[in-house]
Amino acid sequence: ETGVTQTPRHLVMGMTNKKSLKCEQHLGHNAMYWYKQSAKKPLELMFVYSLEERVENNSVPSRFSPECPNSSHLFLHLHTLQPEDSALYLCASSQEGGSSGANVLTFGAGSRLTVL
Amino acid sequence: GQNIDQPTEMTATEGAIVQINCTYQTSGFNGLFWYQQHAGEAPTFLSYNVLDGLEEKGRFSSFLSRSKGYSYLLLKELQMKDSASYLCAVMDSNYQLIWGAGTKLIIKP
């Protein structure tokens, strides 16, 4: 496998369920990200792990919980979500501190989440 | 506040040229990115501009004017496969990416 892989691609869950989204990158990058993408809205950065340290966006509700066990894997644990959390969740990775100065993100295809 | 503006939707004809504009107001500037996202797929990197001027990559070119807070993505010899959303993003002084809402480009035969 190459690039950034996300599973599952589609997920339907009730508001009381607990589920997890998984992301794996095969690029040797040192930073990983979770983004939320809603229709006709800008990408919203949720969490960043840089050199395996977490940088958190304080506006993310606690019902979203990230986990980064190593530099290649990233999880987003979901618990008691709301219908407005329905969206496409994108994982991305990048190599920070590169010589080019451009921190280019490589995205996965996303996990489409529907909360009933 | 920080803001990126780009048109919501554009339509163009196969074989023609289209220009997608992006204007920004951010706290500082450390580069501007364009990404392409086909429906149901991952956004993919197209271009990065940090200095004023035009960068050309095959059929795609990206222009930047830092003094005007303005960029455009120019697509030439349009093909049906260019139907996609095009995302503009600016890296601010804190190296945070500020994203536009994307421009959906529809190519008609």
Side-chain angles (χ1 to χ4, degrees), chain B residues 36-99:
Chain B
Q36 179 191 58
Q37 185 178 22
H38 287 100
E41 297 184 13
T44 55
F45 170 74
L46 286 178
S47 66
Y48 170 71
N49 294 69
V50 66
L51 299 176
D52 290 350
L54 187 67
E55 297 272 347
E56 296 187 71
K57 267 189 196 179
R59 294 189 299 114
F60 291 13
S61 302
S62 57
F63 172 83
L64 175 67
S65 169
R66 288 172 296 170
S67 63
K68 295 182 179 178
Y70 168 69
S71 172
Y72 66 73
L73 183 68
L74 190 72
L75 290 72
K76 301 177 184 176
E77 302 168 14
L78 286 169
Q79 301 175 11
M80 297 303 293
K81 67 178 182 180
D82 298 329
S83 292
S85 289
Y86 291 85
L87 310 179
C88 175
V90 172
M91 187 165 283
D92 70 9
S93 57
N94 293 320
Y95 294 93
Q96 301 297 311
L97 271 179
I98 312 301
W99 293 85

Side-chain angles (χ1 to χ4, degrees), chain A residues 9 35 37 40-45 88 90 100-109, chain B residues 8 30 33 35 37 40-45 48 87 91 95-97 99-102:
Chain A
R9 291 294 311 277
Y35 278 93
Q37 186 175 37
K40 300 185 179 180
K41 289 187 176 181
L43 289 178
E44 298 175 46
L45 178 64
L88 182 68
L90 291 167
S100 70
N103 189 22
V104 176
L105 298 175
T106 301
F107 285 89
Chain B
T8 303
N30 278 301
F33 297 80
Y35 284 80
Q37 185 178 22
E41 297 184 13
T44 55
F45 170 74
Y48 170 71
L87 310 179
M91 187 165 283
Y95 294 93
Q96 301 297 311
L97 271 179
W99 293 85

Side-chain angles (χ1 to χ4, degrees), chain A residues 34-93:
Chain A
W34 280 116
Y35 278 93
K36 178 182 179 182
Q37 186 175 37
S38 302
K40 300 185 179 180
K41 289 187 176 181
L43 289 178
E44 298 175 46
L45 178 64
M46 300 177 73
F47 300 104
V48 181
Y49 277 83
S50 176
L51 299 172
E52 301 182 34
E53 284 193 19
R54 176 171 152 185
V55 178
E56 186 168 354
N57 182 333
N58 292 330
S59 66
V60 179
S62 60
R63 56 187 183 267
F64 294 93
S65 174
E67 179 189 359
C68 186
N70 55 59
S71 60
S72 299
H73 294 85
L74 186 65
F75 295 89
L76 187 63
H77 303 301
L78 315 170
H79 177 49
T80 60
L81 295 191
Q82 305 298 310
E84 60 265 28
D85 297 323
S86 298
L88 182 68
Y89 288 85
L90 291 167
C91 174
S93 69

Side-chain angles (χ1 to χ4, degrees), chain A residues 14 18 20-21 55 57 62 89-90 95-96 99 107 111:
Chain A
K18 287 185 183 180
S20 296
L21 307 180
V55 178
N57 182 333
S62 60
Y89 288 85
L90 291 167
Q95 184 62 30
E96 290 191 335
S99 58
F107 285 89
S111 294

